[in-house]
Amino acid sequence: MPDTPAPPPAEAEIAALRAEIDALDDAMHDLLMQRAAVVARLAGSRAKGQGSPLRPGREAAVLRRLLARHSGPLARERVVRIWREIFMASTAIQGPFSVAAHAPQSAETRLARTHFGPITPIRVHPTPARALAAVSDGEASVAVLPAPAETDQAESAWWARLDVPRLQVVARLPFIAAPSAPEALVVAPVPPDPSGDDRSLLLIEAEADAPRGRIAQALADAGLAAGAVLVLRAGEATLALAEIEGFLRADDARLAALPWARRTILGAYAAPVAGDAP
Ligand SMILES: C=C(O[C@@H]1C=C(C(=O)O)C=C[C@H]1O)C(=O)O
């Protein structure tokens, strides 16, 4: 029998660790196949009804639960990346999915790509109205649009004209908080689903000269905790867009306490989660 020299210790160690990784890959693949089969059962049961299979609130709740139990060398951002792809894979099992984006800063396309994954078709439209029309016409599943900003003019303020409740804001990107980075909103032809820690967008039509301070005070007096309040002077009216803590519903008694009758909930989204400490 020819002598087969023993592999050097370093190579033996690598081979042993890779064998462990191979076994884990098999176990993970088995679980992914099992998960996909459960998703197929969910789709087959038709319990979710017609329309978009996407449930951004449920996705956020799953990610928050996993991040709360997370430990070890795998970065939180990477956990989110891996699960984003799993969510999109299970969405694809339930039906076709595509995105209509309007991306004046191109950041919106990057945010959409990061959130909805590299395989999801994303078409960029020249105006917010065209992106929203693509969703209304059933050409796209969701629209990704620039988040409302204080600098918005009447023309760029797509949120002031959103066809609610047919179209609603269902998510805010990015889900991992990135201070002072551009943000985008996701609009879908379905209502948002609560994630357990949400913020809602409330549009108020006030009188032409309504001061911002009075609007903020009225919200506080009604018991609505508002973050930023954007104000758009639009001819005879002042449009105020407030981000309200919590998942606001149309029958919320606090809304009735506001001094303005024209108020519209544009939708809601999961509060972002913290990323990895720098
Ligand atoms: C499986 C579902 O559909 C989609 C996929 C999800 C998942 O893979 O966990 C979660 C929410 C939905 O976006 C579901 O609604 O639970």
Side-chain angles (χ1 to χ4, degrees), residues 35-69:
R35 194 184 197 279
V38 175
V39 171
R41 270 169 42 209
L42 186 65
S45 78
R46 311 234 171 262
K48 279 169 79 174
Q50 294 289 317
S52 169
L54 194 74
R55 297 290 183 276
R58 164 73 182 158
E59 293 175 358
V62 170
L63 282 173
R64 280 201 205 106
R65 187 173 58 75
L66 294 177
L67 290 174
R69 72 197 287 282

